[in-house]
Amino acid sequence: MTVVDLTMKGEQKAELNKDGYTLTELLMIQQILQQCYLADPSRYRLFLFLISIVICFVVTKSFLLTCCLPFFLMGMRYYFSRKVILHYLDCALHTDMSDIEQYYMKPPGSCFWVAVLDGNVVGIVAARGNEEDNTVELLRMSVDSNYRGKGIAKALGRKVLEFAMLNNYSSVVLGTTAVKMAAHKLYESLGFKHVGVVEHYALPGMTRSLLERMFFQVRYHRYRLQLREE
């Protein structure tokens, strides 16, 4: 597996273009796989679902309606999750991922990498520098679900850390809505420290309506890796 810097000129970049790697399509597929876990089924919400089932039986005295209620609740959860996720992907594919070169390859302090295995792009990651506080933000990390568990995400993360050190940034920051513990353990294995969480985080496309809040909520976790003191 090799990690290719898309800001590099010459043969490697030409080969990527020739082979027709469509990074926006890769992101779209992988973000769908990842964001399917965005809706965080908190204990509080699960408790409300259970209570609603009990109330349904007490009020209706109908086993049929009570048995149908969980399917209705799951259907509503799927509807709101899908609605927000698709809007989120649409925003991504019409902003930075619509023009990788403009967002990540031309600006100073930014970069974009792809992981290539057996001639296929299996992972991506981006870095965007902030000169005001001398930090680099790790963005768009994604690995093909068929190649996870092979150290690809860690290799991509290390590329961002190397980039930050070579360019004398003081720290690397990232934010994630991932629910799976594996993602959080990955960041911690790279040296990141959890510095906070935003409850009821609003993604693009979220209306914050009562029904949406009932069936779809996300937590936004912030991580930071201090490379050197200012």
Side-chain angles (χ1 to χ4, degrees):
M1 190 269 294
T2 58
V3 178
V4 179
D5 178 355
L6 288 194
T7 60
M8 294 172 61
K9 307 298 180 182
E11 251 179 62
Q12 286 182 312
K13 185 178 174 185
E15 184 179 347
L16 285 174
N17 292 335
K18 178 188 68 178
D19 290 344
Y21 296 137
T22 55
L23 297 178
T24 53
E25 291 178 5
L26 175 69
L27 173 81
M28 181 173 65
I29 295 168
Q30 294 310 315
Q31 288 291 347
I32 288 173
L33 291 170
Q34 291 179 351
Q35 301 300 331
C36 284
Y37 301 100
L38 277 172
D40 185 1
S42 66
R43 292 179 181 178
Y44 174 72
R45 196 170 297 107
L46 289 175
F47 177 73
L48 288 179
F49 287 169
L50 291 173
I51 289 295
S52 65
I53 293 172
V54 172
I55 292 175
C56 177
F57 178 73
V58 170
V59 173
T60 65
K61 298 292 193 291
S62 169
F63 282 105
L64 179 62
L65 288 177
T66 304
C67 291
C68 289
L69 183 60
F71 294 100
F72 171 76
L73 295 175
M74 286 188 290
M76 291 294 290
R77 183 177 173 82
Y78 172 80
Y79 168 77
F80 283 104
S81 299
R82 186 175 184 275
K83 174 177 173 288
V84 175
I85 290 167
L86 290 179
H87 196 286
Y88 170 82
L89 293 173
D90 184 66
C91 289
L93 295 174
H94 285 85
T95 52
D96 60 322
M97 296 309 296
S98 67
D99 193 344
I100 294 170
E101 183 176 5
Q102 184 65 36
Y103 276 84
Y104 296 113
M105 296 163 67
K106 287 184 177 179
S110 298
C111 201
F112 197 99
W113 298 265
V114 295
V116 181
L117 184 64
D118 299 328
N120 298 312
V121 172
V122 296
I124 58 175
V125 72
R128 183 171 58 199
N130 186 339
E131 300 298 333
E132 292 184 3
D133 57 3
N134 199 32
T135 62
V136 166
E137 184 177 8
L138 186 154
L139 296 160
R140 301 303 186 195
M141 179 182 282
S142 185
V143 175
D144 190 315
S145 59
N146 294 319
Y147 294 91
R148 291 175 186 170
K150 300 180 183 296
I152 296 172
K154 184 171 285 191
L156 290 167
R158 284 174 177 163
K159 280 293 179 182
V160 175
L161 302 188
E162 291 171 8
F163 173 81
M165 290 186 285
L166 286 172
N167 289 275
N168 297 314
Y169 285 100
S170 61
S171 60
V172 183
V173 298
L174 67 87
T176 181
T177 53
V179 174
K180 283 190 169 182
M181 286 305 300
H184 298 274
K185 289 181 178 179
L186 167 66
Y187 302 135
E188 291 170 358
S189 71
L190 288 168
F192 285 91
K193 303 296 183 184
H194 190 265
V195 295
V197 59
V198 178
E199 299 284 351
H200 311 303
Y201 182 71
L203 287 169
M206 294 184 72
T207 62
R208 310 300 296 159
S209 66
L210 177 61
L211 280 175
E212 188 179 84
R213 290 199 302 271
M214 286 177 60
F215 293 103
F216 189 90
Q217 293 283 349
V218 295
R219 292 189 178 96
Y220 184 77
H221 298 266
R222 297 195 304 270
Y223 284 87
R224 186 182 189 93
L225 173 57
Q226 196 71 31
L227 298 173
R228 60 183 176 83
E229 298 296 332
E230 288 291 337

